[in-house]
Amino acid sequence: MDILRLAASLPVDGSVEGATHAAEARSPTCGSTIRTQLVMADGRIAAIGQQVTACAYGQASAAILQDWGPGKLRAEVIVMRAALKAWLEGRGEVPADYAVLAPVQGRSGRHGAVLLPFDALLRALETQE
């Protein structure tokens, strides 16, 4: 139930006022799409907005990222994505608040949905509106 609670906690609109960066990531496997908007300040993420069309796992992962991301540097996002990927593949400890997604660990077909919010975030960090 925690996965569904997290998935339902995402804002409906998902946009962020004054966005300086934006990008979209789409899963070729399932068609999930996440558009991420960012406000950056001093090289750090100041605010994140996400428009998420994904399964419950993807939505829950996006909700966790929404809370985790503000204040982070691009390098920290890269490290967290790598740690999450390793954990999903059975290598390493569960990062931060992702223990709630333990049921997806054995479902490799859903790993992309969990990583998709990070892919959209990293793409957004590489752009500027």
Side-chain angles (χ1 to χ4, degrees):
M1 279 305 176
D2 287 336
I3 292 170
L4 295 178
R5 181 186 51 77
L6 277 169
S9 73
L10 282 171
V12 175
D13 177 11
S15 61
V16 63
E17 193 169 320
T20 57
H21 297 66
E24 184 174 288
R26 183 179 180 279
S27 169
T29 306
C30 64
S32 293
T33 305
I34 298 179
R35 177 162 175 75
T36 300
Q37 295 178 322
L38 303 174
V39 175
M40 299 294 292
D42 299 323
R44 294 186 179 273
I45 300 167
I48 300 174
Q50 300 176 97
Q51 288 125 8
V52 181
T53 304
C55 66
Y57 292 124
Q59 290 176 43
S61 180
I64 295 168
L65 178 68
Q66 184 95 18
D67 290 338
W68 175 85
K72 301 297 188 281
L73 297 166
R74 181 178 181 275
E76 292 173 286
V77 175
I78 291 168
V79 168
M80 177 60 105
R81 187 195 185 282
L84 183 57
K85 184 176 189 298
W87 171 72
L88 286 168
E89 294 171 349
R91 302 176 288 113
E93 298 297 316
V94 60
D97 297 323
Y98 283 86
V100 69
L101 294 177
V104 79
Q105 195 175 23
R107 304 180 81 193
S108 60
R110 295 294 186 186
H111 292 182
V114 174
L115 295 171
L116 194 62
F118 280 91
D119 296 340
L121 177 57
L122 287 169
R123 286 182 186 161
L125 286 166
E126 297 170 357
T127 67
Q128 191 153 1
E129 292 224 308

